[in-house]
């Protein structure tokens, strides 16, 4: 069953996203930072979509994305970043790393659920 | 002969034929001469050698004959001398003999014992022997044993010596031996001179021969040179001619008349020159034709050019070209020279394989007929009985015949040889290429023309569309523009935008700057909008659903003129290849619309308020207003005066507000409910926070809002419904219900009560006063059901709000009248209690059906009274109290220990303690855990009691225990009929 990985260091955001996605019958895995996220995606090849924060301790979201693409060679997983900023450099870096798009916080489940369903493929 | 130096260098070590010829002839002559010379010399030499040897032999023979004779003669002569031992005579004879002959080198006479009697030689000419010793040498030994005269040759170096010996026999006795030595020196001398003479002769002969040879050689050389020159001069000429041709000059004729091979060679060479000259000329012609054809754009001109060219080349006087048609036939396309009537000239059309032209096409090879009249195959062609020369050249492109060239001329005039076949083939190939090129160019030009037309049509259509769009943009009464990446506005935008924003500075401007530079949105919100736009433009179309909710749809903008406008925005993504390339923004000025909407909203609100007030009647409204104002006033003074914001103060604030909310909810004064809810929320937060952040201003502001809304209601009630609200705080006034003013009665009652407090009062008087006040207090009393009618009426709407079916309500209160003083208490208390029951007590229909109950719940209120006491029992058939939850709440608050079993008192205490609610969710109706403590407080303030009665000690149904509330009210509040 295809999974969604939610990566955010804020427990509030994490829970909010997780609870919403679960309420929509998605299967959800969570991670507390980029490092944790990388471990989770290594273990679980069923993950079809990653929703990740940008600024996190240990490893930030974009570094995690770059590791997923380069180190793990996983070019297929869709990645969406949660952000509040509009730093063009960050956007460019994300685009180069293969980020699918940006969800501007706050996360509103009802607005993104259709898109997420498309990305997860079901 | 002229051979250029460069050519001599090219041929490595060039040696001319002449030189080679002369050299070889000279060498042969010299060698022959030398051979003759050597033969002569050798023959001569051999001849002289043979004659010399003959001479030598004859000399030798004569020498030997002379020696033998001498020795024999001497032996005879010596006989006597030897018998006589005449030494001297012997000596004299020998000596004389030796000296007489030059040839004799020595003379010896020795006896039989080899003792010499005399030895005469050059040293001893007198022949005297010094020692008469026996001679022992080889010759002496040989001579001694001779019995007959003999000779022998001795050689000593070059000296040859013949020894002649003869025994001197006397009477068969050998007395001695005479010996003479003859030298060959004389003979050699003679031989030498003979040889010398012979050599002299040889030299003479050779010298003569040499002279003759040199003369012959010289003669030979000159003769050879002459012959060589005769041979090489024409070759040199040919070489020069070849050189000229090599330089590209074919015009110079080779003039060499000779009756030999050279002459033949020169003739052939000239023929070759002429052939090459023709080829070069043909090539030149072909090139020129090719160049002309290459630039011709017109097919007929190309055909004409080819005919002209062939005419000049082959001397034909008529020509025509046929080109293939789709139906496998050929059609006349060009002819030479111009004829006024084309019918005169052969067929206009012929089929593949038909006639000579058809044959040429079929066989794909050039046909040349020298004289058509002599060839039966072609005589009838063109209907021309007179003979003529005919040339047919097929035009072949990749094995496909696209046409035929037909040429004809006078017999004998037309020349068409082997080289002309090649020329004609080349011309045909050129023409094929040209025709193909021209046709291709025509096709391309046609395509270009079509393309141009299409482009023109498209351009026109596009222009029309563009014009339409520009018109629309200029005339539409909406602002419309697109946002590009980096947030700038595209220069094409609807003109009305300028009207809306009162500026013409729009193109390329930052969208945030144009829309939001002066607006009612905070910087954080604007930042969010900017981030959202940036996360859309240039991103995948999917992102629009993710982030578009952050784009504002309506806001208030302040424009340069200071005018405020409410603007409505619509955001649409412009998607190309699944990417959002731009955002299209529609701006509408909805200020007027909003004003109208607002006015309509206000009217609607007013109508709603009127409806709400009317639904429960003026008196209920009045009661509500008075109660609310009382609590607002209380809260205001609490907020302003409370020195410590302790729990007690906050609880009281909360209770008061909660009561207002409850009542507003009960009567359906919804606008008040909402605003009260906000205030209550703040209090609730304060109540629950560890360190309450007391904000006096905020609290007052919220209170003010509540007050304002109550006043709004009052204003509407007064202005639209003419309901007068008594400003007094006396909550017991109930003028409308009785139709009389109760105030005087209340005043009297108050006075009577004061009197009764006087202990000195006489018993009779007291009894009268008590009776009077009791009766007076009954004025305005009503049955309980009537008192609670407002609350009871609100039950259906409340249920609906909670999503539950309307419950059955049972009230049993016979013979009971409630005095007006009890009305506010009863209303407040029961609005709380019923709400609690509906919200938490009665389960959802599903739960109820599962528990085996009917879907609708039941609320009941029973009153039991005597003269002194009134007990009201209220309850529902809901799930009861969740004891477990109460327990865990109490545990959380540290009020009990985990081991402790709850008894009724504990539960009672818990229920009536501020801050406890077992509801899972805080709803607008109830559930904040205040309510019951407020209820208890109200009742106790009025001298009543409230308690909880669990209906089962045992927990039979899990954690839930059914219960009733029992309320005792003092006798001053009722009387039993």
């Amino acid at each position: 069953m295809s999974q969604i990985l939610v990566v955010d260091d804020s427990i509030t955001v994490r829970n909010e996203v997780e609870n919403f996605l679960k309420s929509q019958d998605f299967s959800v895995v969570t991670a507390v930072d980029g490092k944790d996220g990388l471990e989770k995606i290594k273990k679980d090849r069923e993950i079809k979509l990653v929703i990740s924060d940008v600024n996190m301790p240990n490893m930030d979201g974009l570094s995690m994305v770059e590791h997923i693409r380069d180190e793990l060679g996983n070019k297929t997983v869709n990645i969406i970043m949660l952000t509040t900023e509009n730093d063009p450099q960050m956007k460019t870096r994300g685009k180069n790393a293969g980020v699918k798009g940006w969800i501007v916080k706050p996360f509103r489940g009802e607005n993104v659920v259709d898109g997420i369903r498309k990305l997860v493929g079901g | 002969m002229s051979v250029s130096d460069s050519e001599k260098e090219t041929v490595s070590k060039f040696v001319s034929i002449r030189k080679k010829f002369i050299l070889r002839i000279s060498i042969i002559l010299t060698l022959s001469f030398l051979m003759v010379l050597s033969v002569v010399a050798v023959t001569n030499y051999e001849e002289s050698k043979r004659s010399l040897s003959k001479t030598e032999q004859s000399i030798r023979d004569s020498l030997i004959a002379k020696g033998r004779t001498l020795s024999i003669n001497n032996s005879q002569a010596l006989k006597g001398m030897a018998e006589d031992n005449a030494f001297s005579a012997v000596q004299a004879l020998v000596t004389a003999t030796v000296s007489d002959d030059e040839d004799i080198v020595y003379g010896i006479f020795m006896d039989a014992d080899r003792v010499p009697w005399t030895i005469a030689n050059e040293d001893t000419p007198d022949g005297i022997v010094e020692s008469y010793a026996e001679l022992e040498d080889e010759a002496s030994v040989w001579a001694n044993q001779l019995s007959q005269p003999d000779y022998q040759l001795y050689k000593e170096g070059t000296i040859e010596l013949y020894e002649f010996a003869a025994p001197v026999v006397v009477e068969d006795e050998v007395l001695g031996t005479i010996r003479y030595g003859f030298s060959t020196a004389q003979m050699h001398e003679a031989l030498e001179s003979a040889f010398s003479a012979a050599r002299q002769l040889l030299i003479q002969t050779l010298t003569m021969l040499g002279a003759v040879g040199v003369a012959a050689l010289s003669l030979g050389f000159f003769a050879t040179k002459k012959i060589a020159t005769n041979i090489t001069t024409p070759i040199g000429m040919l070489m020069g001619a070849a050189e000229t041709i090599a330089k590209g000059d074919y015009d110079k004729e080779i003039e060499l008349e000779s009756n030999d091979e050279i002459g033949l060679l020169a003739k052939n060479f000239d023929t070759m020159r002429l052939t090459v000259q023709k080829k070069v000329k043909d090539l030149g012609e072909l090139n020129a034709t090719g160049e002309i054809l290459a630039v011709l754009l017109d097919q007929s001109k190309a055909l004409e050019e080819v005919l002209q060219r062939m005419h000049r080349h082959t001397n034909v006087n008529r020509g025509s070209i046929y080109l293939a048609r789709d139906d496998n036939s050929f059609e006349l396309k060009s002819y030479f020279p111009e004829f006024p009537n084309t019918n005169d000239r052969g067929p206009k059309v012929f089929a593949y394989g038909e006639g000579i032209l058809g044959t040429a096409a079929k066989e794909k090879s050039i046909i040349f007929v020298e004289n058509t009249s002599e060839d039966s195959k072609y005589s009838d062609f063109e209907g021309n009985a007179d003979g003529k020369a005919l040339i047919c050249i097929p035009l072949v492109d990749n094995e496909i015949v696209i046409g035929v060239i037909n040429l004809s001329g006078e017999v004998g005039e037309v020349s068409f040889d082997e080289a002309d076949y090649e020329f004609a083939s080349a011309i045909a190939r050129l023409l094929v290429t040209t025709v193909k090129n021209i046709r291709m160019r025509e096709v391309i030009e046609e395509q270009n023309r079509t393309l141009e037309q299409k482009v023109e049509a498209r351009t026109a259509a596009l222009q029309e569309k563009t014009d339409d769009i520009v018109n629309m943009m200029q005339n539409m009464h909406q602002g419309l523009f697109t946002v590009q990446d980096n947030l700038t506005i595209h220069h094409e935008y609807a003109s009305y935008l300028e009207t809306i924003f009162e500026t013409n500075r729009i193109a390329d401007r930052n969208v945030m700057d144009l829309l939001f530079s002066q607006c009612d949105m905070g910087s954080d919100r604007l930042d969010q909008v900017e981030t959202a736009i940036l996360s859309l433009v240039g991103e995948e179309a999917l992102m629009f659903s993710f982030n578009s909710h952050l784009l504002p749809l309506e806001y208030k903008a302040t424009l340069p003129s200071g005018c405020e406008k409410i603007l409505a925005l619509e955001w649409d993504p412009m998607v190309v290849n699944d990417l959002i390339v731009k955002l299209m923004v529609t701006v509408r000025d909805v200020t007027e619309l909003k004003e109208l909407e607002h006015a309509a909203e206000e009217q609607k609100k007013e109508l709603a308020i009127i409806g709400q007030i009317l639904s429960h009647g003026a008196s209920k409204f009045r009661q509500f207003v008075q109660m609310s104002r009382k609590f607002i006033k209380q809260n205001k003074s609490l907020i302003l005066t409370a020195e410590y914001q302790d729990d007690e103060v906050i609880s009281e604030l909360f209770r008061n507000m909660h009561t207002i909310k409850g009542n507003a909810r009960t009567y359906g004064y919804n606008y008040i409910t909402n605003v009260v809810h906000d205030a209550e929320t703040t209090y609730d937060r304060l109540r629950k926070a560890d360190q309450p952040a007391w904000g006096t201003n905020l609290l007052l502001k919220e209170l003010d809002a509540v007050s304002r809304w109550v006043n709004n209601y009052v204003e509407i009630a007064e202005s639209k419904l003419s309901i007068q609200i008594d400003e007094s705080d006396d909550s017991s006034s109930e003028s409308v219900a009785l139709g009389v003013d109760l105030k005087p009665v209340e005043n009297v009652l108050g006075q009577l009560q004061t009197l009764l407090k006087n202990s000195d009062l006489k018993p009779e008087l007291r009894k009268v006063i008590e009776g009077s006040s009791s009766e007076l207090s009954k004025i305005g009393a009503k049955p309980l059901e009537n008192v609670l009618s407002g609350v009871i009426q609100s039950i259906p709407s409340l249920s609906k709000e909670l999503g539950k079916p309307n419950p059955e309500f049972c009230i049993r209160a016979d013979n009971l009248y409630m005095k007006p003083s009890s009305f506010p208490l009863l209303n407040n208390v029961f609005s709380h209690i019923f709400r609690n029951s509906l919200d938490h007590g009665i389960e959802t229909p599903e739960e109820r059906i599962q528990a085996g109950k009917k879907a609708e719940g039941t609320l009941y209120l029973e009153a039991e009274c005597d003269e002194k006491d009134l007990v009201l029992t209220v309850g529902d058939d809901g799930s009861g109290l969740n004891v477990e939850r109460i327990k865990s709440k109490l545990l959380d608050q540290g009020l009990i220990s985990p081991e402790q079993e709850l008894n009724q008192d504990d539960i009672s205490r818990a229920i009536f303690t501020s801050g406890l609610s077992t509801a899972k969710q805080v709803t607008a109706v109830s559930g904040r855990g205040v309510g019951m403590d407020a209820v208890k407080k109200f009742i106790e303030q009025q001298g009543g009691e409230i308690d909880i009665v669990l209906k089962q000690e045992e927990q039979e149904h899990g954690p839930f225990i059914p219960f009733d509330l029992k309320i005792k009210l003092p006798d001053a509040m009722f009387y039993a009929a």
Side-chain angles (χ1 to χ4, degrees):
Chain A
M1 180 188 177
S2 48
Q3 304 248 35
I4 300 175
L5 173 64
V6 177
V7 190
D8 201 308
D9 56 326
S10 151
I11 186 159
T12 318
V13 176
R14 214 160 57 227
N15 284 348
E16 189 188 336
V17 179
E18 182 184 8
N19 289 340
F20 171 76
L21 291 176
K22 279 188 172 163
S23 78
Q24 299 295 315
D25 295 330
F26 289 111
S27 171
V28 182
V29 185
T30 59
V32 297
D33 56 41
K35 220 168 193 172
D36 190 19
L38 204 57
E39 288 303 314
K40 293 276 162 67
I41 201 162
K42 251 186 224 170
K43 275 184 215 151
D44 193 340
R45 303 301 283 189
E46 287 297 313
I47 290 172
K48 289 286 181 309
L49 172 66
V50 178
I51 299 175
S52 173
D53 189 21
V54 177
N55 295 316
M56 288 183 289
N58 292 328
M59 184 191 285
D60 67 88
L62 286 174
S63 298
M64 179 189 74
V65 175
E66 285 160 356
H67 275 94
I68 289 173
R69 299 298 191 208
D70 301 337
E71 202 179 286
L72 305 186
N74 187 336
K75 312 281 185 202
T76 52
V77 67
N78 284 315
I79 301 173
I80 289 176
M81 305 303 290
L82 289 169
T83 183
T84 51
E85 301 162 51
N86 50 32
D87 174 11
Q89 281 185 338
M90 179 182 83
K91 287 276 174 68
T92 312
R93 192 178 155 202
K95 198 156 253 181
N96 289 341
V99 166
K100 190 89 176 161
W102 305 81
I103 295 180
V104 181
K105 285 182 185 177
F107 179 86
R108 291 273 163 73
E110 63 273 20
N111 294 311
V112 302
V113 66
D114 289 343
I116 285 175
R117 228 179 276 281
K118 251 182 237 170
L119 290 179
V120 172
Chain B
M1 179 164 88
S2 60
V3 176
S4 70
D5 290 344
S6 62
E7 278 181 20
K8 283 176 190 169
E9 274 163 27
T10 2
V11 181
S12 63
K13 289 178 185 169
F14 176 86
V15 183
S16 79
I17 290 174
R18 197 173 61 156
K19 220 177 235 175
K20 277 182 192 166
F21 190 74
I22 293 166
L23 194 67
R24 292 212 180 135
I25 295 289
S26 301
I27 289 169
I28 289 165
L29 281 175
T30 312
L31 283 176
S32 314
F33 174 66
L34 284 176
M35 269 166 72
V36 169
L37 216 58
S38 359
V39 167
V40 169
V42 168
T43 316
N44 200 290
Y45 175 73
E46 286 296 320
E47 189 64 34
S48 60
K49 203 170 153 191
R50 202 162 48 241
S51 96
L52 275 175
S53 150
K54 226 170 163 181
T55 312
E56 190 188 336
Q57 198 57 51
S58 70
I59 292 172
R60 239 175 246 278
D61 288 347
S62 68
L63 195 69
I64 291 166
K66 187 170 118 187
R68 281 175 77 101
T69 310
L70 183 67
S71 58
I72 292 166
N73 289 348
N74 267 265
S75 66
Q76 293 299 324
L78 282 168
K79 272 177 189 176
M81 284 177 240
E83 263 176 317
D84 299 339
N85 286 334
F87 279 95
S88 315
V90 169
Q91 207 170 0
L93 177 71
V94 170
T95 308
T97 308
V98 169
S99 62
D100 282 354
D101 201 327
E102 275 185 359
D103 285 340
I104 299 167
V105 182
Y106 60 89
I108 300 167
F109 183 81
M110 60 182 189
D111 61 18
D113 299 322
R114 292 195 310 267
V115 177
W117 286 14
T118 183
I119 298 175
N121 58 23
E122 218 173 344
D123 300 329
T124 53
D126 49 2
I128 300 162
V129 179
E130 289 168 11
S131 145
Y132 294 100
E134 279 175 44
L135 294 170
E136 296 292 337
D137 62 298
E138 187 195 351
S140 300
V141 173
W142 170 76
N144 190 41
Q145 48 86 40
L146 285 175
S147 56
Q148 295 285 328
D150 206 355
Y151 71 92
Q152 189 161 342
L153 184 65
Y154 292 98
K155 280 184 185 171
E156 257 189 56
T158 58
I159 299 165
E160 279 182 330
L161 199 72
Y162 284 98
E163 182 170 295
F164 296 93
V168 178
V169 183
V170 178
E171 297 168 2
D172 297 333
E173 188 190 357
V174 177
L175 295 178
T177 309
I178 183 72
R179 302 163 56 195
Y180 286 103
F182 274 72
S183 165
T184 60
Q186 283 286 333
M187 180 192 77
H188 277 294
E189 256 173 53
L191 278 176
E192 191 60 43
S193 78
F195 187 72
S196 173
R199 196 161 51 195
Q200 196 64 39
L201 188 71
L202 182 65
I203 287 166
Q204 273 175 10
T205 312
L206 287 179
T207 310
M208 264 175 69
L209 271 174
V212 169
V214 167
L217 272 178
S218 305
L219 213 65
F221 175 78
F222 285 113
T224 309
K225 198 178 171 189
K226 175 84 174 96
I227 293 168
T229 309
N230 281 347
I231 295 170
T232 53
T233 305
I235 292 178
M237 272 176 69
L238 280 177
M239 217 156 75
E243 216 173 314
T244 316
I245 290 170
K247 280 175 188 160
D249 182 1
Y250 301 96
D251 297 334
K252 202 175 166 191
E253 199 185 332
I254 298 168
E255 288 167 356
L256 186 79
E257 290 295 329
S258 181
N259 59 351
D260 53 13
E261 289 89 342
I262 299 288
L264 205 64
L265 179 65
K267 207 173 156 190
N268 287 340
F269 201 85
D270 201 44
T271 312
M272 189 178 83
R273 176 187 67 86
L274 287 170
T275 313
V276 172
Q277 188 182 32
K278 188 171 161 54
K279 287 255 174 188
V280 169
K281 195 173 149 244
D282 287 0
L283 264 179
E285 265 181 73
L286 283 175
N287 275 344
T289 313
E291 274 168 25
I292 291 165
L293 291 180
V295 294
L296 282 180
L297 302 176
D298 185 350
Q299 180 173 288
S300 58
K301 283 210 175 115
L303 301 181
E304 218 171 276
E305 171 64 26
V306 166
L307 286 175
Q308 294 272 9
R309 183 65 67 177
M310 286 311 290
H311 157 69
R312 282 200 297 276
H313 190 82
T314 58
N315 209 19
V316 291
N317 50 20
R318 279 198 284 173
S320 47
I321 297 178
Y322 297 80
L323 291 181
R325 297 195 299 195
D326 288 342
D327 60 354
N328 222 7
S329 67
F330 296 83
E331 187 186 9
L332 182 64
K333 286 286 180 186
S334 183
Y335 36 85
F336 167 85
E338 285 287 342
F339 269 75
N341 187 353
T342 54
N343 287 331
D344 293 348
R345 299 186 49 80
K348 268 186 86 179
V349 176
F350 66 87
Y352 188 72
E354 177 195 336
I356 184 168
L357 292 173
T359 310
K362 196 176 179 182
E363 288 174 359
K364 298 187 185 76
S365 60
I366 297 171
I367 294 171
F368 170 57
V369 184
E370 237 177 324
N371 189 342
T372 50
S373 62
E374 284 172 9
D375 198 324
S376 59
K377 267 200 279 183
Y378 311 118
S379 57
D380 59 340
F381 185 67
E382 286 194 7
N384 196 343
D386 303 332
K388 60 177 175 181
L390 202 62
I391 306 167
C392 298
I393 308 161
L395 301 171
V396 185
D397 173 30
N398 282 336
E399 296 298 306
I400 294 164
V401 183
I402 65 159
V404 181
I405 304 175
N406 180 30
L407 304 164
S408 62
E410 299 308 316
V411 177
E413 294 277 307
V414 176
S415 67
F416 199 74
D417 57 21
E418 205 57 43
D420 293 322
Y421 273 95
E422 258 175 59
F423 181 80
S425 301
I427 284 280
R429 279 197 299 274
L430 268 176
L431 185 59
V432 166
T433 312
T434 308
V435 167
K436 268 169 76 184
N437 283 348
I438 288 170
R439 283 178 183 173
M440 199 177 290
R441 196 154 45 209
E442 276 168 4
V443 169
I444 291 171
E445 273 168 13
E446 178 59 28
Q447 274 178 349
N448 281 349
R449 269 195 295 281
T450 319
L451 200 66
E452 271 167 30
Q453 279 167 4
K454 272 183 188 166
V455 168
E456 265 170 40
R458 291 268 165 86
T459 311
L462 196 66
Q463 187 57 44
E464 196 185 327
K465 265 187 193 169
T466 311
D467 292 347
D468 287 355
I469 290 172
V470 168
N471 261 321
M472 267 195 278
M473 288 291 229
Q474 274 165 2
N475 298 317
M476 72 195 294
H477 278 260
Q478 277 190 357
L480 181 70
F481 64 90
T482 53
V483 184
Q484 314 171 95
D485 53 4
N486 71 27
L487 298 169
T488 53
I489 296 171
H490 192 264
H491 55 83
E492 292 279 2
Y493 59 87
S495 312
Y496 196 66
L497 212 53
E498 294 178 1
T499 314
I500 294 178
F501 287 101
E502 300 171 0
T503 177
N504 52 13
R505 202 167 59 80
I506 288 172
D508 300 326
R509 193 165 157 189
N510 185 298
V511 63
M512 297 300 289
D513 187 36
L514 176 73
L515 295 182
F516 308 121
S517 57
Q518 286 276 333
C519 73
D520 62 344
M521 287 192 280
S523 60
D524 182 56
R525 173 77 180 104
L526 289 178
D527 186 62
Q528 201 178 41
V529 173
E530 189 174 330
T531 310
I533 296 173
L534 284 169
S535 72
L536 292 173
V537 183
E539 300 290 333
E540 289 188 28
L542 191 61
M543 288 303 120
F544 195 77
S545 65
F546 282 4
N547 292 318
S548 58
H549 65 276
L550 293 167
L551 303 169
L553 299 176
E554 195 179 294
Y555 72 107
K556 198 185 275 178
T558 310
L559 293 156
S561 64
C563 152
E564 275 192 353
K565 284 183 181 171
I566 298 167
L567 300 177
L569 302 177
E570 260 178 55
W571 305 79
D572 296 290
M574 296 175 77
V575 178
V576 176
N577 293 334
D578 210 35
L579 277 185
I580 304 172
V581 290
K582 284 177 192 173
L583 277 181
M584 187 167 78
V585 187
T586 316
V587 188
R588 281 182 300 128
D589 181 354
V590 293
T591 316
E592 281 178 32
L593 191 72
K594 282 289 147 183
E595 274 167 12
L596 286 172
E597 266 180 19
H598 184 72
E601 195 64 41
E602 286 298 312
Q603 267 184 343
K604 203 172 120 192
K605 213 183 270 178
E606 201 176 282
L607 280 173
I609 290 172
I610 290 169
Q612 287 165 13
I613 295 172
L614 285 177
S615 72
H616 287 92
S619 68
K620 295 284 185 263
F621 179 68
R622 219 174 267 121
Q623 264 182 33
F624 171 79
V625 171
Q626 283 162 357
M627 179 274 298
S628 299
R629 283 180 169 163
K630 188 180 87 188
F631 285 132
I632 290 167
K633 202 170 163 186
Q634 269 184 24
N635 273 13
K636 193 165 183 173
S637 78
L638 274 171
I639 291 165
L640 288 171
T641 57
E643 282 181 36
Y644 305 102
Q645 289 88 40
D646 59 7
D647 287 354
E648 196 52 44
V649 172
I650 294 168
S651 284
E652 194 171 348
L653 284 173
F654 185 83
R655 268 195 313 272
N656 290 344
M657 201 49 75
H658 194 72
T659 305
I660 298 175
K661 186 176 106 174
N663 283 322
R665 174 78 46 190
T666 303
Y667 297 129
Y669 304 146
N670 292 335
Y671 297 105
I672 296 175
T673 319
N674 292 337
V675 73
V676 171
H677 186 79
D678 291 344
E680 191 200 47
T681 306
T682 308
Y683 300 153
D684 191 38
R685 211 163 39 234
L686 283 173
R687 197 166 58 124
K688 283 177 180 161
D690 290 338
Q691 293 287 322
W694 183 274
T696 308
N697 284 344
L698 175 73
L699 293 172
L700 287 177
K701 202 175 143 191
E702 284 174 345
L703 200 62
D704 212 40
V706 176
S707 174
R708 205 163 48 240
W709 267 104
V710 172
N711 289 339
N712 280 350
Y713 269 68
V714 169
E715 198 185 311
I716 290 167
E718 285 178 343
S719 63
K720 310 285 180 198
L721 299 172
S722 304
I723 298 172
Q724 295 307 311
I725 305 297
D726 193 338
E727 289 298 327
S728 91
D729 272 349
D730 197 342
S731 56
S732 62
S733 78
E734 185 61 49
S735 51
V736 179
L738 271 176
V740 289
D741 194 352
L742 280 177
K743 233 173 181 122
V745 178
E746 281 164 6
N747 285 342
V748 172
L749 261 175
Q751 286 164 3
L752 289 175
Q753 293 296 327
T754 318
L755 277 175
L756 281 173
K757 281 175 189 161
N758 190 343
S759 54
D760 296 340
L761 210 67
K762 286 187 179 167
E764 300 83 19
L765 194 56
R766 176 176 293 268
K767 203 175 175 183
V768 171
I769 292 170
E770 279 177 352
S772 308
S773 63
S774 171
E775 288 306 313
L776 272 175
S777 68
K778 287 177 186 173
I779 294 174
K782 288 198 273 187
L784 181 60
E785 203 171 343
N786 292 13
V787 176
L788 291 177
S789 65
V791 183
I792 294 164
Q793 279 165 24
S794 74
I795 288 173
S797 65
L798 213 55
S799 311
K800 198 176 168 195
E801 195 174 327
L802 290 163
K804 293 177 182 174
N806 189 25
E808 192 183 340
F809 181 70
C810 309
I811 183 162
R812 192 171 59 75
D814 303 332
N815 309 321
L816 175 65
Y817 289 90
M818 299 309 296
K819 294 180 180 173
S821 61
S822 71
F823 293 175
L825 178 73
L826 288 172
N827 273 308
N828 282 342
V829 165
F830 281 99
S831 69
H832 271 303
I833 289 173
F834 287 162
R835 265 188 291 112
N836 273 346
S837 275
L838 286 171
D839 199 359
H840 314 308
I842 294 170
E843 314 89 327
T844 62
E846 296 79 30
E847 286 169 338
R848 288 183 62 85
I849 287 164
Q850 208 173 9
K853 303 178 190 173
K854 61 185 169 72
E856 309 85 41
T858 306
L859 286 179
Y860 51 87
L861 172 58
E862 289 172 5
E864 281 180 48
C865 64
D866 52 27
E867 287 296 320
K868 294 188 82 175
D869 291 314
L870 167 65
V871 177
L872 299 171
T873 305
V874 63
D876 57 62
D877 69 342
S879 58
L881 282 174
N882 188 337
V883 185
E884 286 302 308
R885 187 164 297 196
I886 292 168
K887 194 173 174 182
S888 73
K889 287 255 178 185
L890 291 175
L891 269 172
D892 285 349
Q893 293 176 4
L895 295 172
I896 56 161
S897 59
E899 304 81 36
Q900 204 173 329
E901 281 295 321
L902 287 185
N903 59 29
Q904 180 153 333
D905 289 344
D906 296 325
I907 292 169
S908 175
R909 205 164 48 239
I911 294 291
F912 295 116
T913 303
S914 170
L916 185 120
S917 172
T918 59
K920 286 179 221 163
Q921 264 186 315
V922 174
T923 63
V925 176
S926 65
R928 281 214 166 105
V930 170
M932 289 319 288
D933 66 322
V935 168
K936 188 176 167 79
K937 195 159 185 177
F938 290 150
I939 292 172
E940 283 172 355
Q941 272 173 355
Q942 307 273 331
E945 289 171 25
I946 182 166
D947 209 346
I948 193 161
V949 180
L950 297 180
K951 292 204 269 192
Q952 285 160 297
E953 287 297 330
E954 303 297 320
Q955 297 182 7
E956 283 174 12
H957 304 285
F960 294 98
I961 303 176
F963 70 97
D964 282 339
L965 288 170
K966 283 200 188 300
I967 300 164
K968 277 188 183 175
L969 291 177
D971 57 355
M973 290 193 176
F974 68 94
Y975 68 94

